[in-house]
Amino acid sequence: SVPFLIRLFPYTLTKFVFLNFLAFPFFVDLRRPELLLNNTISLYLTTEPDITVGIWHTVPASRAPEAQSKDQRWYEEALADDHPVIIYLHGNGGTR
């Protein structure tokens, strides 16, 4: 009967099987990564009309002294320099 209920109510599958509504660690504002990670800021990209993707930009430890107390503009300019960029795609749970 469980497969039948999942087929009948697909919302149940996404919410109670995958538990994508849970964010861990609890009670952490993931829109402010600078409170959790050093040299990290939150940026937003508009990929299509009405679709915005949130990203974190973390500079490597070798650039940490340079990144201290810099604003968002510095991080955006750092993306355009000659250093390589690594993109990590973690999933679709609604959090970063």
Side-chain angles (χ1 to χ4, degrees):
S1 68
V2 172
F4 174 74
L5 290 174
I6 290 174
R7 179 80 170 150
L8 190 60
F9 303 104
Y11 179 79
T12 305
L13 177 69
T14 60
K15 292 299 176 186
F16 296 108
V17 174
F18 297 123
L19 298 176
N20 60 359
F21 59 91
L22 292 178
F24 186 80
F26 301 112
F27 308 112
V28 173
D29 186 4
L30 296 175
R31 293 170 293 186
R32 302 203 48 213
E34 63 274 7
L35 301 176
L36 300 168
L37 303 169
N38 294 327
N39 312 317
T40 302
I41 64 163
S42 187
L43 300 172
Y44 295 91
L45 300 175
T46 302
T47 58
E48 296 178 18
D50 300 326
I51 297 178
T52 301
V53 177
I55 62 169
W56 284 356
H57 179 209
T58 303
V59 296
S62 62
R63 295 188 74 185
E66 185 183 356
Q68 290 296 327
S69 69
K70 299 291 185 183
D71 61 357
Q72 180 174 336
R73 183 173 176 208
W74 182 88
Y75 282 86
E76 290 172 357
E77 290 172 357
L79 285 172
D81 64 13
D82 293 335
H83 292 85
V85 174
I86 298 171
I87 299 175
Y88 171 70
L89 305 173
H90 59 80
N92 62 354
T95 63
R96 292 179 219 164

